[in-house]
Amino acid sequence: KGWPSPFSRVGPGVSEAPVPNFSEHGGDTDATFGKGFGVAVCDRSGRWRETSGTSFAAPLLARKAAHALKGLERFCQGTTRPYSALVKAFMALTAQLPESSLQGNVRALTKRSLGRGQFNLDLLYTPDENAALFLWQGVLESPKDLVQVQIPIPRDWLAKAGQPRMRVVWAWESPVHDGVSGIWGCRRVNLTFRTDPDSDSFVGSRGSFSHSSYTIREKIVDLSKEALEGVELNGDRWLTELQYVQLADYYPSPEPSPKQRVGMVVELADLEGKESPQRFVQGLSFANTFDRLTVSPTKVAAPAPIKV
């Protein structure tokens, strides 16, 4: 009771990507394990018994993802719909490991077998008052396309926060080719930060689940006074630049479109809990523009070229 699952698929997956990504109950238990430890199913003899398994966990996770898609539709205009990549990034940023499984000698097993943990769907409806969360989705037209996204980072908050930090998770859906070994997908989306168009870029540190070719990546940027010493802050908006590179050729079939959808989630927080960024963000003169996802370009039917 309270221990992580012994039947999870654990360890490096395809192309050394971490497995699993997320976790859910493998049965009908609640947070207090008050409903039993499995799902009532019929055995070969037709008798009811209780069973647990990953096949029970997968639909629970899929249900949460479906609710996230539905919840994000509130912020869409016209024919725009939430991208699955955005939901994937949101899941990755909000996921947490259960506290009950992080105690004593089971801690290492928990981190290995439960991946990022369970993601918090509630944040779509009840924001965390101690953090500021921004969601963005857009399209890269080709490997030559560079998209710049403005991220609000109030200077007043940076001056008062004890240990300000920015955490960014971005995701995409890449074409794959099983003839190419050592990589997950044929494309990789890279992301950098700048305080303004003419400044040097910030690299940031990679998150614990980042992988060179997997389609979810994470960066953590230290925004403390020490880390930003000598950096000139000219405004309350930083630039995030996104561009994708092609890692391998595509499978010889209908060639995929060069357009690449991307979803990105940014979290600002003070690790010391001294100053929440919420009131500073809400006090910005352009804060009323943070209520809609980017309008998707209109789809135009195009012939699909086939390699021969």
Side-chain angles (χ1 to χ4, degrees), residues 110-225:
T110 296
K111 290 187 174 182
R112 180 176 294 272
S113 63
L114 298 186
R116 294 176 180 269
Q118 295 175 295
F119 84 95
N120 187 358
L121 180 63
D122 296 338
L123 286 178
L124 274 182
Y125 304 96
T126 308
D128 182 359
E129 62 182 14
N130 298 313
L133 204 64
F134 305 99
L135 290 83
W136 175 89
Q137 64 180 23
V139 177
L140 299 172
E141 296 293 331
S142 71
K144 297 180 180 179
D145 189 20
L146 177 68
V147 170
Q148 294 182 321
V149 184
Q150 292 182 327
I151 303 297
I153 304 181
R155 287 172 294 175
D156 291 343
W157 173 65
L158 293 177
K160 295 181 179 181
Q163 193 178 348
R165 182 202 68 173
M166 174 169 61
R167 184 178 169 211
V168 184
V169 177
W170 68 103
W172 66 98
E173 302 295 343
S174 173
V176 296
H177 185 349
D178 61 4
V180 182
S181 61
I183 67 170
W184 175 274
C186 297
R187 297 173 182 172
R188 181 180 68 230
V189 177
N190 295 324
L191 180 148
T192 55
F193 313 100
R194 300 181 190 275
T195 56
D196 59 62
D198 300 322
S199 68
D200 294 332
S201 62
F202 282 76
V203 177
S205 60
R206 291 175 59 181
S208 58
F209 283 87
S210 287
H211 178 270
S212 59
S213 67
Y214 192 58
T215 56
I216 303 177
R217 302 196 77 183
E218 178 181 355
K219 279 188 179 180
I220 299 173
V221 181
D222 183 1
L223 300 175
S224 64
K225 298 177 181 65

Side-chain angles (χ1 to χ4, degrees), residues 202-261:
F202 282 76
V203 177
S205 60
R206 291 175 59 181
S208 58
F209 283 87
S210 287
H211 178 270
S212 59
S213 67
Y214 192 58
T215 56
I216 303 177
R217 302 196 77 183
E218 178 181 355
K219 279 188 179 180
I220 299 173
V221 181
D222 183 1
L223 300 175
S224 64
K225 298 177 181 65
E226 295 77 15
L228 298 181
E229 185 177 359
V231 177
E232 186 175 356
L233 301 177
N234 298 318
D236 295 315
R237 286 182 274 199
W238 288 29
L239 284 179
T240 300
E241 297 180 337
L242 298 121
Q243 190 172 30
Y244 84 81
V245 295
Q246 187 168 330
L247 301 176
D249 200 5
Y250 305 127
Y251 189 76
S253 63
E255 189 167 336
S257 166
K259 294 184 179 182
Q260 178 61 62
R261 290 183 173 186

